[in-house]
Each structure stands twice: as structure tokens, then as C-alpha cells.
Amino acid sequence: MTTVSQLDLNEKKAIIRVDFNVPLNEEKKVTDNTRILAAKPTIDAVLSAGGSCILMSHLGRPKGITPDLSLEHILSEVEDVLGQKVIFAKDSTGEDAKTKAAQLKAGEILLLENLRFHAEETAGHENFAKELAQLADVYINDAFGTAHRAHASTTIIAQYFDENKAVGKLLEQEIVAIDKVLKTGEKPVLAILGGSKVSSKITIIENILDKVDHLIIGGGMAYTFIKAQGGTVGNSICEDDYLDYTLELLKKAKAKKVQIHLPVDVIATTEFSNEKERKTLKANEIEDGWEGLDAGPKSLSLFKEVVLKSKTILWNGPLGVFEFSNFANGTIELGTFIAESTAAGSFSLVGGGDSVAAVKQFGFAEKVSYVSTGGGAMLESLEGKTLPGIAALKA
Ligand code: AMP
């Protein structure tokens, strides 16, 4: 796959699929510019190689033209982050975009209006993709967050650029981080899966059993495994339809010599709330009327030992209901163990949804090796799927 530094960009117009799907407040001001910052290295690389940038993104899920979701709202934030003036085209295709793209000079940046104002974007329409392609000489995809979608701007457009297409720096980092965990990771390799339901992580578990030495199963998912093995889980979240399946998984793991680690004790309470009475119970002896919402101290010291002896760590999903302050301890502690292991030289990747929110909320983002920027795209990568946006860059 070609990288940005391998492209000839001198006097070239690069159309870059970025992920500027940023949160806006009521005044339509950007409240978190992480995604704009994340696109800056690729944009800077294009400009310093003598090219110009045409930036395209979606924002939200508009049905047709929706002024509240115009990318014009984020224009001044983009200018602040990139440190220069940015021209805005009031549609992603059509005369305004064509004229402004044609007039774009080396060193300049053009931002196109929200791609999803056209239904053709998510439908992956060829003509729409072709119109976007005609604005530029080269195509760069730097939007990991949408790389699992075969949309016009993320996948279909690539066919119009022959070899003049490349993976952006952010997307490249994501691919490298996933490969480090699933393909080239130094052993022992550990995956920590948490979150609410085992049913939503089945394909991930099946895929990673071939790749890891240890698997910690925490959070709400753990209770289905515990009940399947004869434990009582009280009112804890449990998927009875998956009891047999989890036993199968445990057998498969044994055959593949993967060590599974489940919680041995939990912090339980009497209803799904932050405020009720709490007590520590054995994970397989939870009384009726009680439900486990966090990992207990014995579980955490077991998990700590595994984390500290692992050289490659993948973390997806919290160990408890971290949104409730009284049940956030397990998730926070786990973050501390991973940070410690990382400081001692292991490679750690946090990805896919709520664990990313947790590492940010509790201040671990700088202390792990890599925090993924894509929820669904990361989950599909962990499931072993080839993402269409990445495949298109290779074709
Ligand atoms: P997921 O989207 O499957 O990764 O699940 C994340 C959610 O799992 C978070 O919102 C947590 O609050 C929830 N969760 C974690 N542990 C538990 C638990 N023991 N009981 C209920 N929900 C949990």
C-alpha cells in the first residue's frame, strides 16, 4: 500500500477523506477537536510536499441538506488547528466545488460541505464518487472511523486514481497498531475483553483465539461464562441463550492453549444504580437480588499479574459499569496496570468504543501505546475482516 510520503505531490491536488465528524454544542461550536488534530499530520505532509488539500468528510447523519450539520460550523476550528485560512465549498460536488478546486494553488486548503448531504455518499454511488475524484489528482484516505464502510468517498472513489492513491498517516498508524497486536505482537499476547454482552463480541473472540496467549474476560460478559460453568450470578447481566456457546469457547481456548481469566470476585449491588448498598461477593456465588457491576479486589490482582507479564496487550471494553463512580474502580485499576506494563516496554492498544471513552475520561490515553480513533472499524478489524476502505487502496 502506498503511503503519503511515497506520492508525488508537487503541484498536485490531493483529495483527502478525513473524519471531521466532531461533536458540536448548541451554539454549533466544536467541543472536541481530537479528530481534526488527528488529520493534521497528513494535511501538513501534503502541503510541505508542494501540494494542495481538498478535505472531505461527513458530519452526523443528515437526511438530505441539514443546515445544523453543515461543515461550515467547523471551518474556524479547522483553520485554528491547521494554522491557516481554509476555503469552503458550499457543496461537495457541483459548480462551486469544481471552480474552487480548479483555482486551488499549492499550499492552499479547500474544505467541502458535508458529504452526507448527498444520499449517494452512503449508497456508494459511482457517479458521485467520480465527481469527487475529478476535483483532484491524487486520493488519500485518512478516515479510519469510516474505513469499514464502502461509501463513495471512503472506497468507491479509489478506483478512479490508479496508482495515485495512498493511505493517510492516521489510517497507517491504525493499521500498524492492529498488525502489532494480531500479527506481529511479541509474546505473551493478551486480549482483555469487557463490556456488557458476549453476543456482541463473538466474532472477535473467535478470531483472536488464534492470536493470543491470554484472554481476560471481564465486565458484564463474564457472567454468562460464570453461569455456564455452574456458578450463580444473581441478577447480574447474563445471556442465557449463550451458555452452551461460552462452554464451547472455553473448550476451544483450551485446545488452542489460550489461558482464559475470569473475575473471581465482584462488587455487587441491589439494583442498576450508583447509590445502593455495595458488597464484595465471589463471582460464582452472587445471591438473588444482587448484581455484579465491577471487578473485585482479588480479580484485579489476578488481572494485574497477567497484564504485567504480557508484552502485547489489546483492551476492548470496560471491566464494570464505569459510568457509575462507585463501579469505575476496576476499569481505572486496569488502566493503571496497562500503563505500568506499557512503561515497562509492552505494546498496548485500546480500541473500540467504551474502553476508549474510559481511558480518555480517566487520563490514561497518553500512557498506553495507541488509542484507536475508530469504534466500528476497530471492532471489524479485530473480527479479522478486511475493511473496504483499506482494500480499495490496495487494488
Ligand atoms: P460494550 O458496548 O459491549 O463494550 O459495553 C460497554 C458497556 O458495558 C458500558 O456501558 C458498561 O457500563 C457496561 N458494563 C460493563 N460491566 C457491566 C456489568 N457488570 N453489568 C452491566 N453492564 C456492564
Side-chain angles (χ1 to χ4, degrees):
M1 208 166 5
T2 308
T3 60
V4 174
S5 50
Q6 291 167 329
L7 285 174
D8 172 14
L9 290 159
N10 194 32
E11 295 290 325
K12 296 280 175 12
K13 294 178 175 121
I15 189 158
I16 312 176
R17 178 51 158 104
V18 290
D19 180 2
F20 283 175
N21 185 27
V22 290
L24 302 178
N25 64 15
E26 295 213 334
E27 286 85 49
K28 306 287 159 222
K29 292 265 177 288
V30 177
T31 55
D32 179 353
N33 66 7
T34 312
R35 286 179 168 164
I36 305 174
L37 278 167
K40 186 170 162 33
T42 297
I43 296 165
D44 286 348
V46 171
L47 298 180
S48 57
S52 56
C53 295
I54 302 168
L55 307 179
M56 56 176 172
S57 177
H58 74 284
L59 177 62
R61 294 182 173 184
K63 297 256 177 296
I65 296 169
T66 311
D68 277 357
L69 293 173
S70 169
L71 278 173
E72 199 164 12
H73 298 304
I74 75 162
L75 186 61
S76 64
E77 187 68 35
V78 175
E79 289 181 328
D80 285 351
V81 170
L82 301 180
Q84 72 176 77
K85 176 147 186 35
V86 172
I87 304 158
F88 184 73
K90 54 182 188 272
D91 192 358
S92 50
T93 53
E95 280 318 307
D96 190 44
K98 264 196 222 164
T99 313
K100 286 175 175 158
Q103 289 169 352
L104 202 66
K105 294 189 214 54
E108 291 184 340
I109 304 171
L110 169 66
L111 173 66
L112 305 180
E113 180 56 289
N114 194 341
L115 290 161
R116 291 196 190 166
F117 284 180
H118 294 263
E120 293 92 333
E121 162 63 359
T122 48
H125 213 279
E126 292 207 351
N127 283 344
F128 180 64
K130 197 170 179 182
E131 278 186 69
L132 293 169
Q134 282 166 348
L135 301 175
D137 307 301
V138 297
Y139 169 65
I140 298 169
N141 188 356
D142 209 19
F144 181 65
T146 47
H148 59 314
R149 306 276 185 228
H151 294 170
S153 70
T154 64
T155 302
I156 312 303
I157 187 172
Q159 66 188 296
Y160 302 106
F161 288 91
D162 298 323
E163 69 276 15
N164 294 323
K165 58 192 169 200
V167 56
K169 287 178 177 289
L170 174 66
L171 188 50
E172 193 185 344
Q173 271 183 27
E174 298 274 357
I175 297 170
V176 168
I178 296 162
D179 280 359
K180 267 195 189 165
V181 168
L182 295 186
K183 292 188 185 155
T184 60
E186 193 185 335
K187 283 174 161 287
V189 180
L190 160 69
I192 305 155
L193 295 182
S196 52
K197 289 180 174 174
V198 66
S199 56
S200 63
K201 307 256 164 110
I202 284 174
T203 333
I204 296 183
I205 302 177
E206 296 268 1
N207 184 43
I208 61 175
L209 277 186
D210 286 323
K211 314 196 164 36
V212 302
D213 305 295
H214 294 273
L215 176 58
I216 291 178
I217 296 177
M221 276 175 68
Y223 299 103
T224 307
F225 286 84
I226 292 166
K227 186 168 177 184
Q229 292 175 288
T232 48
V233 299
N235 296 355
S236 307
I237 186 169
C238 181
E239 291 175 283
D240 286 339
D241 292 350
Y242 286 85
L243 295 174
D244 290 342
Y245 175 75
T246 52
L247 287 179
E248 280 302 311
L249 270 182
L250 291 171
K251 260 198 225 156
K252 270 191 202 170
K254 203 168 177 196
K256 290 177 195 274
K257 300 203 166 42
V258 178
Q259 284 190 47
I260 304 259
H261 309 270
L262 286 158
V264 290
D265 61 351
V266 300
I267 312 293
T269 185
T270 51
E271 67 181 48
F272 192 78
S273 127
N274 192 38
E275 311 304 336
K276 296 283 172 179
E277 186 191 349
R278 276 170 283 147
K279 64 180 177 185
T280 305
L281 293 174
K282 278 192 174 171
N284 58 359
E285 290 179 15
I286 303 174
E287 302 145 34
D288 270 352
W290 290 79
E291 58 185 301
L293 294 191
D294 197 8
K298 288 197 179 116
S299 308
L300 291 175
S301 64
L302 281 177
F303 294 168
K304 181 175 185 179
E305 205 182 301
V306 185
V307 169
L308 291 185
K309 73 179 176 201
S310 298
K311 289 273 174 271
T312 303
I313 302 164
L314 162 73
W315 181 20
N316 169 267
L319 283 195
V321 184
F322 73 100
E323 298 91 335
F324 295 160
S325 58
N326 286 331
F327 301 97
N329 180 57
T331 302
I332 296 174
E333 285 287 295
L334 178 65
T336 317
F337 309 153
I338 296 175
E340 193 179 331
S341 188
T342 310
S346 67
F347 177 82
S348 53
L349 164 64
V350 182
D354 280 318
S355 34
V356 172
V359 290
K360 287 188 179 161
Q361 183 180 333
F362 303 125
F364 294 115
E366 308 302 322
K367 296 180 182 158
V368 297
S369 310
Y370 193 72
V371 181
S372 174
T373 58
M378 174 50 77
L379 295 177
E380 290 199 17
S381 303
L382 298 177
E383 287 173 353
K385 293 187 183 144
T386 304
L387 308 187
I390 295 173
L393 296 173
K394 294 179 184 160

